[in-house]
Amino acid sequence: VFLVFTKINNMHKTFLFLSIAYFLVLPLNAQISETDTLLTISGEPISANEFIRVYNKNLNLVQDDSQKDVNSYLELFVNYKLKLAEAKALRYDKDPKYINEFKSYKNQLTQSYLTDKNVTDDLVREAYDRTKNEVKAQHILVLLDEVETDTLEAYSKIEAFRERFINEDFESLKKELHNGKSIFVEDLGYFSAFKMVYNFESAAYATEVGAVSQPFRTRFGVHVVKVLDKRKSKGEVTVSHIMIANKQKDSTLVAKDRIQELYRLLLQGEDFGQLAKQFSDDKSSSMRGGELRPFKSGQINSEIFETTAFKLSPSNPISKPIQTQFGWHILKYVNRRPVELFEKLQPELSSKVGKDSRSQLVKAKMLEKLLAEYQIEPSNYELSEFKSNLSYDISNNVWELPSKFDKNQPLLNIKNQIYTYGDFLVFLNKNQKSIKKEWPTSVVVNKQYASFLETSVFKYKEENLENENQEFAHILNEYREGLLLFELMQDKIWEGAKNDSIGLQEFYNSNKQNYTWPDRIEGSVARSTQEKHIKKVRKYWKKNHSNQKIDEILNKEQQNVIFSNGEFKLGDPTLPKGLAFNTGLSEVIEENSNFYLANLTALKPATTKTFEEAKGQLVADYQTALELKWINELRSKFKVAINQDVLAKVNALIYN
């Protein structure tokens, strides 16, 4: 990180944190001990191990081979540490803005260490495979409370329904069984990944076409699903539509007649977007000319609308009027995209997995690992006494324990950190929104203890990650120092140089010789692979024909001549090397199987750039000068002491 700051003054934070993440840390040799201090800055020790880690990590970034020398690199490292010392001396680390920003980065980094990457990767790949395919299904659901353990009756019902689902007509079953309250019999149409809860989606994809699944449970209840078809995904389509609602305020307006009128206008060449703005009853899309958001199969609550949309194409852009439950529509094709490659969709799919019910699988797997790591057996903790003493005070909306109950009894021990029954009681009262009033006390305690255990274990892991995981600790420290240094450099050097108008002007006056325009020429250069065409250009230029007119004459059938116009530096690759520095028409020059002719109107010898012309490079050079001066001041302000014996060990380790 310090190398990046030293070498790139106009960097962005994005680059800073990318640079942290993608370089390997080579293993440290046992010759260097944890107690070996390489240097101190104003008495603050900096270990040899830290220097070696940073050296190995940033070695591939060093462009100048001389800086790969340990002693030269140590100079950069010391400069980096001096800047950090100054940032702390100026209390940048106490700035609320810095603290909040660091906290945000820490939270993001922490989350990546609290998930099981292998499980996540498998779920992302599975989701992609399902995204490429669609399932058409029907299902029967018997509603069941998510915490209900007595499921015999529900499963008995769904087993009986399954037999009938296999053998009987769906519409007849729906008419008889579906009540919209406790039993649902529904045609789901086509769907793919993320359209259903994960358990349901998995059951549907695992069931063969024409078969009915075995009963399975989701948070809604118990289901059986019948798969009618599986097909490759149609991708994503974007259409515009004009809609005339079935129900109209104007009793004289008949929706079917109005849509036919609009359809005839479209056939006569009227603009679709203008008609949508004027007549469509879908006001959420009409002002955009009727354009809807892109959608996939299963995302529109109308099979005929979806089917019609996917049949449209550039050669068949306008549909005939169709009717849905909402009204009459005419659709217009906008574009269509197939399912994109995995690499393109991976970030989006990863985000969806993190928000979907799949995330519970990832969390459950990580919890399993942490329980094993911390040697916790959830079933070992006795909650019966807690349950029998727990009561709910309706008037105050709180769970209570009697005064005789010892709330300080240990309930959970994570690496010698004790959580008591009192802690669990506080958790119960803080999380009442997740408790349903009809649940019995035993269900409340069991469900909430599972949540309390999970929350406590993950919290402990999060709070101790820096101590338990060396890789996390190193990356987090790079975030901490990188952000701190960014803020200091921003104020002291980068913005400071831009805003110091007097200093910039003085620096320009003292260094004008470094800001010059090279020798330049102005005019036109013609190039062709055949000499005869270049000779024709010479003839036309002598008659003062413009390049545009010559182009129209010579390039009418094919591209015979290419013109380049404007100002050119001597040595510009557009120019032939043998071109003389003279105004007027040049001789025809042959180079590398090409023929050139120049028509030069002006010669511009090397001149000093004005302040404004030089400003971009000037600011960068001034920043470098300010930084060098500042480093010298810091070396005077903070005492730097290097342990030569330890440095010798470092050199021996790296070069051997």
Side-chain angles (χ1 to χ4, degrees):
V1 180
F2 76 85
L3 176 68
V4 175
F5 274 117
T6 303
K7 301 297 284 184
I8 305 176
N9 288 332
N10 62 342
M11 56 157 288
H12 298 291
K13 290 183 188 178
T14 304
F15 178 77
L16 163 66
F17 294 121
L18 286 176
S19 74
I20 286 171
Y22 294 108
F23 292 92
L24 296 177
V25 180
L26 302 180
L28 301 182
N29 191 298
Q31 290 178 324
I32 303 293
S33 72
E34 292 295 327
T35 59
D36 280 336
T37 297
L38 178 59
L39 67 131
T40 60
I41 295 180
S42 291
E44 287 292 321
I46 298 163
S47 72
N49 278 341
E50 180 183 352
F51 172 77
I52 294 170
R53 186 180 69 254
V54 174
Y55 176 86
N56 285 331
K57 189 170 188 177
N58 290 291
L59 193 60
N60 291 333
L61 282 173
V62 179
Q63 301 298 318
D64 187 345
D65 285 342
S66 68
Q67 290 182 347
K68 294 182 180 181
D69 172 73
V70 170
N71 292 326
S72 299
Y73 200 79
L74 182 58
E75 287 294 301
L76 297 175
F77 184 74
V78 169
N79 292 345
Y80 167 71
K81 288 295 184 181
L82 284 169
K83 293 171 189 175
L84 286 173
E86 177 71 347
K88 291 174 183 176
L90 296 174
R91 298 181 64 80
Y92 272 74
D93 56 332
K94 307 301 181 187
D95 185 338
K97 177 186 172 185
Y98 163 78
I99 292 171
N100 289 334
E101 193 165 4
F102 172 66
K103 184 178 179 181
S104 174
Y105 280 114
K106 181 181 179 181
N107 288 340
Q108 292 176 41
L109 179 64
T110 298
Q111 293 313 306
S112 66
Y113 282 81
L114 294 179
T115 57
D116 189 306
K117 187 176 184 301
N118 291 333
V119 175
T120 302
D121 290 346
D122 289 345
L123 288 170
V124 170
R125 175 57 74 173
E126 178 188 71
Y128 178 71
D129 291 339
R130 291 179 180 178
T131 297
K132 293 192 298 181
N133 299 280
E134 298 171 347
V135 176
K136 186 178 185 181
Q138 299 163 336
H139 82 129
I140 301 176
L141 162 67
V142 176
L143 281 185
L144 190 64
D145 191 284
E146 59 183 305
V147 299
E148 182 60 58
T149 56
D150 184 7
T151 60
L152 182 59
E153 182 182 354
Y155 272 91
S156 296
K157 282 185 180 179
I158 205 72
E159 285 281 9
F161 293 158
R162 179 177 183 272
E163 290 302 314
R164 297 184 63 183
F165 208 4
I166 293 172
N167 300 305
E168 297 182 28
D169 174 66
F170 174 78
E171 291 301 330
S172 300
L173 275 176
K174 182 175 181 180
K175 187 174 182 180
E176 178 185 341
L177 301 177
H178 181 88
N179 59 26
K181 295 179 180 178
S182 60
I183 300 173
F184 291 78
V185 183
E186 298 173 309
D187 190 337
L188 303 171
Y190 283 97
F191 58 88
S192 61
F194 303 107
K195 301 302 182 294
M196 306 292 174
V197 292
Y198 181 65
N199 288 0
F200 189 98
E201 176 192 304
S202 294
Y205 274 90
T207 302
E208 296 294 329
V209 174
V212 177
S213 73
Q214 292 297 323
F216 61 93
R217 188 167 180 175
T218 71
R219 59 189 173 89
F220 302 107
V222 288
H223 310 247
V224 286
V225 60
K226 184 174 186 178
V227 173
L228 306 179
D229 186 29
K230 292 182 180 180
R231 70 184 185 193
K232 293 293 183 183
S233 173
K234 293 181 177 181
E236 186 177 73
V237 68
T238 305
V239 298
S240 298
H241 81 137
I242 299 171
M243 184 186 88
I244 305 300
N246 287 323
K247 294 181 180 180
Q248 294 287 331
K249 293 179 181 179
D250 181 357
S251 60
T252 64
L253 192 153
V254 178
K256 184 178 180 180
D257 293 344
R258 172 53 56 89
I259 206 74
Q260 290 294 341
E261 291 170 357
L262 295 172
Y263 184 61
R264 284 193 290 272
L265 289 175
L266 288 169
L267 294 179
Q268 291 166 204
E270 293 265 355
D271 182 74
F272 189 99
Q274 289 301 319
L275 291 178
K277 289 178 182 179
Q278 293 175 37
F279 297 103
S280 180
D281 288 331
D282 179 8
K283 299 307 177 187
S284 62
S285 68
S286 62
M287 294 312 295
R288 299 191 303 274
E291 185 168 325
L292 300 170
R293 291 181 179 179
F295 59 88
K296 304 171 185 176
S297 292
Q299 288 186 311
I300 297 294
N301 191 22
S302 170
E303 186 171 349
I304 188 173
F305 191 100
E306 179 185 296
T307 302
T308 303
F310 277 101
K311 284 182 178 178
L312 296 177
S313 66
S315 60
N316 175 37
I318 305 293
S319 77
K320 293 180 179 179
I322 61 169
Q323 187 179 25
T324 70
Q325 65 268 43
F326 308 106
W328 285 86
H329 312 254
I330 303 171
L331 278 59
K332 179 186 177 184
Y333 175 87
V334 176
N335 63 55
R336 184 173 171 181
R337 295 190 307 171
V339 176
E340 295 179 295
L341 295 175
F342 176 73
E343 290 72 21
K344 182 75 179 291
L345 285 181
Q346 187 176 13
E348 178 188 340
L349 293 173
S350 296
S351 176
K352 286 183 175 180
V353 165
K355 298 172 184 176
D356 184 62
S357 51
R358 289 166 171 80
S359 63
Q360 295 305 312
L361 295 177
V362 180
K363 201 166 190 179
K365 189 65 177 178
M366 190 66 190
L367 179 61
E368 182 184 317
K369 286 187 175 183
L370 293 178
L371 291 175
E373 179 184 338
Y374 297 144
Q375 298 181 341
I376 298 170
E377 293 290 342
S379 58
N380 286 351
Y381 297 100
E382 183 57 62
L383 291 168
S384 58
E385 185 184 358
F386 184 87
K387 293 175 186 175
S388 62
N389 281 276
L390 189 67
S391 61
Y392 191 71
D393 182 349
I394 298 176
S395 59
N396 293 309
N397 297 318
V398 291
W399 292 94
E400 292 182 331
L401 288 169
S403 57
K404 66 177 182 178
F405 190 92
D406 183 4
K407 298 177 187 176
N408 294 320
Q409 292 181 71
L411 172 63
L412 177 62
N413 185 354
I414 306 177
K415 304 284 282 187
N416 296 321
Q417 181 165 325
I418 305 297
Y419 297 84
T420 67
Y421 283 91
D423 294 328
F424 181 37
L425 181 64
V426 171
F427 180 87
L428 270 176
N429 284 315
K430 279 187 176 179
N431 294 274
Q432 292 197 55
K433 289 183 179 179
S434 60
I435 299 173
K436 294 182 179 179
K437 293 180 180 179
E438 62 269 21
W439 290 352
T441 301
S442 61
V443 171
V444 170
V445 172
N446 289 339
K447 184 173 175 61
Q448 292 300 87
Y449 178 72
S451 181
F452 174 72
L453 175 64
E454 178 183 289
T455 301
S456 300
V457 169
F458 276 101
K459 183 180 179 184
Y460 180 87
K461 183 67 176 179
E462 185 174 340
E463 291 175 347
N464 290 275
L465 255 177
E466 202 165 353
N467 299 322
E468 294 181 357
N469 190 304
Q470 192 178 59
E471 179 191 53
F472 175 84
H474 291 329
I475 295 176
L476 185 63
N477 191 55
E478 288 169 343
Y479 278 155
R480 183 183 290 114
E481 293 184 346
L483 272 174
L484 197 60
L485 193 53
F486 183 92
E487 298 300 333
L488 177 65
M489 294 291 286
Q490 185 82 351
D491 293 345
K492 186 74 178 178
I493 303 299
W494 301 327
E495 290 302 320
K498 290 179 184 177
N499 297 328
D500 183 6
S501 56
I502 296 175
L504 264 177
Q505 186 65 57
E506 290 177 351
F507 186 81
Y508 169 75
N509 292 339
S510 301
N511 296 277
K512 283 184 178 180
Q513 70 279 5
N514 297 329
Y515 307 104
T516 58
W517 291 112
D519 289 339
R520 291 155 294 154
I521 56 177
E522 194 172 90
S524 299
V525 178
R527 170 188 167 277
S528 179
T529 57
Q530 297 185 46
E531 186 177 12
K532 64 180 181 179
H533 297 307
I534 287 296
K535 287 182 176 179
K536 289 179 181 178
V537 172
R538 169 181 275 276
K539 181 179 69 173
Y540 290 127
W541 268 346
K542 280 186 175 181
K543 295 180 179 179
N544 293 320
H545 285 6
S546 68
N547 292 349
Q548 183 179 354
K549 186 173 182 179
I550 300 172
D551 181 81
E552 291 171 356
I553 296 170
L554 297 183
N555 295 324
K556 188 174 183 180
E557 300 290 334
Q558 62 184 35
Q559 191 70 43
N560 293 312
V561 180
I562 294 177
F563 292 95
S564 300
N565 309 300
E567 187 177 275
F568 307 91
K569 299 176 185 176
L570 287 184
D572 189 297
T574 307
L575 305 177
K577 293 178 181 178
L579 182 64
F581 195 61
N582 298 311
T583 56
L585 284 175
S586 72
E587 297 298 320
V588 174
I589 301 170
E590 182 181 1
E591 282 185 7
N592 300 322
S593 302
N594 289 301
F595 295 88
Y596 296 85
L597 181 70
N599 187 10
L600 305 182
T601 56
L603 306 178
K604 297 184 177 181
T607 55
T608 301
K609 292 181 180 179
T610 65
F611 178 87
E612 287 301 322
E613 290 171 335
K615 196 166 184 180
Q617 184 60 44
L618 180 64
V619 169
D621 292 345
Y622 187 46
Q623 287 171 343
T624 301
L626 284 179
E627 188 172 354
L628 289 173
K629 180 182 177 183
W630 181 44
I631 289 294
N632 289 331
E633 292 171 355
L634 294 180
R635 286 182 177 267
S636 298
K637 180 176 180 178
F638 299 102
K639 182 180 178 182
V640 178
I642 297 175
N643 187 323
Q644 295 298 327
D645 291 337
V646 175
L647 179 58
K649 290 167 69 175
V650 170
N651 272 288
L653 171 63
I654 289 175
Y655 292 127
N656 291 333

